[in-house]
């Protein structure tokens, strides 16, 4: 009788586990995932590190259940313990890195589903886009060995000497912009991937693309070679933090190019903590909270060549702006029209943008 009860319990347990695995992967498939997203799903369901290796492309993706990504194969000892499955496509292997000597029921069922969907993604009509997304993420990953990034670039049609720009954008839809004599409008292909909540776009060196969506923002790196793409991605992501559609009076451009921003492009990489406790930033916040015209006025003064020019951009009389500046200088504690004071204001406004919410 007890044996029968145990058999019944095992049956219902296995049925429940199987159903949960199927539901997880079925929900994933509705979104037409990339290979990286598939590997992460396998890791989460199995509660173990999951891996994918395309030997022909040199593409290695290992994901931890907490979302971390690794670009190298497991050690020989780890690999011997893995539950592995070889896909229908030559050179493709997927695995689950379980801790015990034998894979659990969840790991076995996950691996079976993992392998089947990997084959489906690689053979389906939209598999090329999925693979391109994974290759782009490899190019951006500074922890990935350069040799692997060069191989990924080759798969995308880029050589070691190819020159590109890297764009961090708040939206994916992109249009090409003409940048005058130094830049040519082009319809050349771009390479795209979503990284967290940001969209990464790699474009040819003579192109500058900007999101073609209302309120979209972007930061664009200088021209770099394949080896420097990870750093260019960090710079572009930092410049994106400095952009604004000015919906809440933070000032700044919607699209920033490293070529225009120069040495200041490294500022976001240096400022990683909250700076609202810096006196100059706090003073601006307090002044903005008291009077509705403060933010717009400060941004206009910081961006203008003269007080008269700032008054024109604000559509106010010159004497009105002079009166406002006296109030602001009293509140901030320094002159904002002298070269030194203007630089201090510009720097404080940049720091303020870096700590704002970026949902605008």
């Amino acid at each position: 009788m007890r044996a029968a009860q145990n058999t019944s319990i095992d049956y219902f347990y296995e049925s429940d586990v199987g159903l949960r695995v199927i539901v997880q992967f079925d929900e994933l498939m509705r979104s037409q995932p990339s290979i990286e997203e598939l590997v992460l799903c396998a890791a989460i369901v199995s509660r173990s590190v999951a891996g994918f290796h395309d030997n022909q492309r040199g593409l290695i993706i290992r994901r931890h259940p907490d979302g971390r990504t690794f670009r190298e194969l497991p050690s020989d000892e780890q690999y011997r313990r893995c539950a592995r499955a070889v896909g229908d496509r030559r050179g493709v292997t997927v695995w689950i890195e379980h801790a015990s000597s034998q894979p659990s029921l969840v790991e076995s069922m996950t691996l079976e589903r993992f392998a089947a969907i990997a084959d489906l993604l690689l053979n389906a009509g939209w598999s090329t886009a999925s693979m391109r997304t994974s290759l782009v993420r490899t190019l951006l990953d500074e922890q990935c060995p350069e040799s692997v990034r060069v191989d990924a670039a080759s798969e995308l049609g880029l050589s070691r000497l190819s020159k590109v720009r890297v764009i961090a954008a708040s939206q994916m839809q992109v249009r090409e912009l003409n940048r005058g004599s130094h830049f040519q409008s082009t319809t050349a292909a771009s390479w795209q991937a979503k990284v967290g909540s940001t969209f990464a776009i790699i474009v040819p060196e003579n192109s500058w693309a900007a999101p073609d969506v209302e309120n979209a923002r972007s930061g664009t790196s200088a021209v770099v070679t394949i080896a420097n793409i990870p750093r260019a991605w960090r710079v572009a992501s930092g410049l994106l933090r400095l952009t604004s559609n000015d919906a809440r009076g933070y000032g700044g451009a919607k699209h920033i190019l490293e070529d225009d921003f120069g040495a200041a492009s490294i500022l976001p990489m240096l400022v990683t903590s909250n700076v609202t406790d810096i006196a100059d930033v706090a003073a601006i916040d307090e002044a903005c909270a008291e009077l509705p015209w403060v933010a717009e006025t400060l941004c206009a003064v910081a961006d203008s060549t003269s007080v008269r020019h700032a008054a024109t951009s604000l559509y106010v009389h010159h004497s009105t702006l002079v009166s406002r500046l006296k109030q602001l200088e009293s509140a901030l504690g320094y002159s904002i029209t002298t070269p030194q004071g203007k630089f201090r204001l510009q720097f404080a406004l940049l720091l303020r943008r870096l700590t704002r919410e970026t949902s605008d």
Side-chain angles (χ1 to χ4, degrees):
M1 184 69 172
R2 184 178 298 275
Q5 287 177 336
N6 288 341
T7 301
S8 177
I9 291 172
D10 289 343
Y11 172 78
F12 284 112
Y13 172 73
E14 293 179 7
S15 298
D16 179 61
V17 168
L19 182 60
R20 285 191 287 113
V21 170
I22 291 171
V23 167
Q24 289 268 20
F25 280 105
D26 283 353
E27 288 181 354
L28 178 72
M29 286 299 291
R30 292 192 186 99
S31 63
Q32 294 191 347
S34 66
I35 292 293
E36 287 204 10
E37 290 167 333
L38 171 64
V39 179
L40 178 59
C41 181
I44 291 173
V45 173
S46 66
R47 298 180 182 178
S48 304
V49 174
F52 170 93
H53 183 204
D54 185 335
N55 189 51
Q56 291 184 334
R57 291 182 171 86
L59 182 61
I60 302 168
I61 303 171
R62 293 168 63 218
R63 302 296 300 268
H64 190 279
D66 65 12
R68 283 178 291 163
T69 302
F70 310 102
R71 299 291 181 178
E72 68 284 341
L73 288 169
S75 66
D76 291 342
E77 182 180 351
Q78 287 176 309
Y79 197 66
R80 280 194 296 270
R81 293 203 310 265
C82 290
R84 298 187 297 275
V86 179
D88 291 339
R89 291 173 66 96
R90 187 176 60 183
V92 173
T93 306
V94 300
W95 65 87
I96 302 292
E97 299 175 24
H98 54 84
S100 58
S101 58
Q102 294 294 327
S104 67
L105 174 64
V106 173
E107 291 169 340
S108 297
M109 297 191 71
T110 299
L111 183 64
E112 180 182 350
R113 201 75 174 174
F114 182 15
I117 295 177
D119 281 334
L120 180 61
L121 293 185
L122 295 172
N123 290 316
W126 40 269
S127 63
T128 300
S130 174
M131 184 59 71
R132 281 164 65 95
T133 296
S134 295
L135 292 170
V136 169
R137 287 174 177 158
T138 299
L139 283 179
L140 301 174
D141 191 347
E142 61 186 345
Q143 295 183 342
C144 188
E146 184 177 342
S147 59
V148 175
R149 285 190 277 115
V150 169
D151 289 342
S154 178
E155 285 294 322
L156 293 171
L158 298 166
S159 73
R160 183 188 292 269
L161 300 179
S162 294
K163 293 184 178 180
V164 299
R165 291 179 183 275
V166 181
I167 301 167
S170 62
Q171 301 283 349
M172 182 59 88
Q173 290 175 269
V174 170
R175 61 188 171 97
E176 302 290 345
L177 300 181
N178 193 317
R179 289 283 297 174
S181 60
H182 299 293
F183 297 86
Q184 301 173 1
S185 180
T186 176
T187 56
S190 61
W191 301 270
Q192 307 172 355
K194 188 174 183 181
V195 181
S197 60
T198 304
F199 294 93
I201 309 166
I202 299 175
V203 297
E205 62 175 311
N206 65 343
S207 174
W208 182 53
D212 192 18
V213 181
E214 185 180 2
N215 292 335
R217 298 169 291 106
S218 69
T220 302
S221 77
V223 174
V224 296
T225 58
I226 299 304
N228 291 318
I229 284 179
R231 182 189 180 279
W233 169 239
R234 293 204 316 274
V235 170
S237 299
L239 292 177
L240 176 62
R241 292 173 59 199
L242 287 173
T243 61
S244 173
N245 62 23
D246 207 23
R248 295 196 295 271
Y250 282 94
K254 291 172 64 175
H255 309 293
I256 298 179
L257 188 67
E258 184 183 2
D259 302 54
D260 299 332
F261 227 60
S265 299
I266 69 170
L267 179 62
M269 292 191 287
L270 300 176
V271 180
T272 57
S273 60
N274 195 310
V275 296
T276 54
D277 57 345
I278 293 178
D280 284 355
V281 177
I284 292 175
D285 286 338
E286 290 174 9
C288 289
E290 290 181 6
L291 296 168
W293 48 262
V294 169
E296 185 180 23
T297 301
L298 290 176
C299 292
V301 171
D303 294 339
S304 300
T305 56
S306 67
V307 174
R308 194 169 297 278
H309 181 234
T312 301
S313 69
L314 291 168
Y315 300 100
V316 300
H317 194 275
H318 177 262
S319 60
T320 300
L321 181 55
V322 170
S323 175
R324 289 182 177 181
L325 292 182
K326 290 180 179 179
Q327 285 183 262
L328 289 174
E329 289 176 347
S330 175
L332 299 180
Y334 59 92
S335 171
I336 58 177
T337 55
T338 64
Q340 182 178 351
K342 190 170 183 179
F343 173 76
R344 182 173 172 180
L345 171 64
Q346 291 169 333
F347 193 74
L349 288 172
L350 285 177
L351 292 177
R352 186 169 180 260
R353 273 184 233 151
L354 288 175
T355 58
R356 82 197 190 290
E357 295 179 9
T358 57
S359 59
D360 62 348

